[in-house]
Amino acid sequence: MARSGHFYIDETCIGCGACEHACPGKVDAIYAVAGDFLGRFAIVLDDCIDCGKCVPLCPAASIHDARSEGVIEGSGGYTRIKELQAWARERAE
Ligand code: SF4
Ligand code: SF4
């Protein structure tokens, strides 16, 4: 299975766009969620390289590292993150 990142954006995102600029150009894992009326952003887990550059730029503290929260693969928290990523992926294309 391909390796994937661990950073995700929760529902508190205010859509400022700062994180999108922080994500390294070739990686480009952060997307504005198309059609979201709150203008939120999301991280596509499969593209994220875990650099962490987006985290300090978020004014709403909406970006999290699943590993530091103790979220492990197969747990309910992990399922939620995967759902958030699927949501991002669907709307990024
Ligand atoms: S951790 Fe790095 S690669 Fe992942 S979304 Fe944030 S800036 Fe992009
Ligand atoms: S920096 Fe934070 S509030 Fe701004 S778009 Fe990114 S996740 Fe949302």
Side-chain angles (χ1 to χ4, degrees):
M1 194 173 80
R3 182 203 163 282
S4 65
H6 297 85
F7 286 77
Y8 70 95
I9 296 172
D10 69 23
E11 300 86 346
T12 63
C13 169
I14 58 172
C16 73
C19 57
E20 187 181 29
H21 297 293
C23 196
K26 285 183 185 167
V27 178
D28 195 22
I30 301 179
Y31 298 87
V33 178
D36 184 56
F37 75 106
L38 293 174
R40 290 172 294 187
F41 283 66
I43 294 170
V44 174
L45 195 71
D46 294 342
D47 295 340
C48 173
I49 59 168
D50 285 344
C51 73
K53 288 181 177 169
C54 53
V55 175
L57 292 178
C58 181
S62 304
I63 308 175
H64 308 275
D65 181 345
R67 296 165 298 182
S68 66
E69 297 182 335
V71 175
I72 56 168
E73 195 159 350
S75 69
Y78 189 84
T79 301
R80 175 172 170 270
I81 291 168
K82 292 298 277 187
E83 286 171 357
L84 283 168
Q85 304 309 325
W87 183 71
R89 172 68 83 188
E90 281 169 21
R91 287 158 181 79
E93 293 171 347

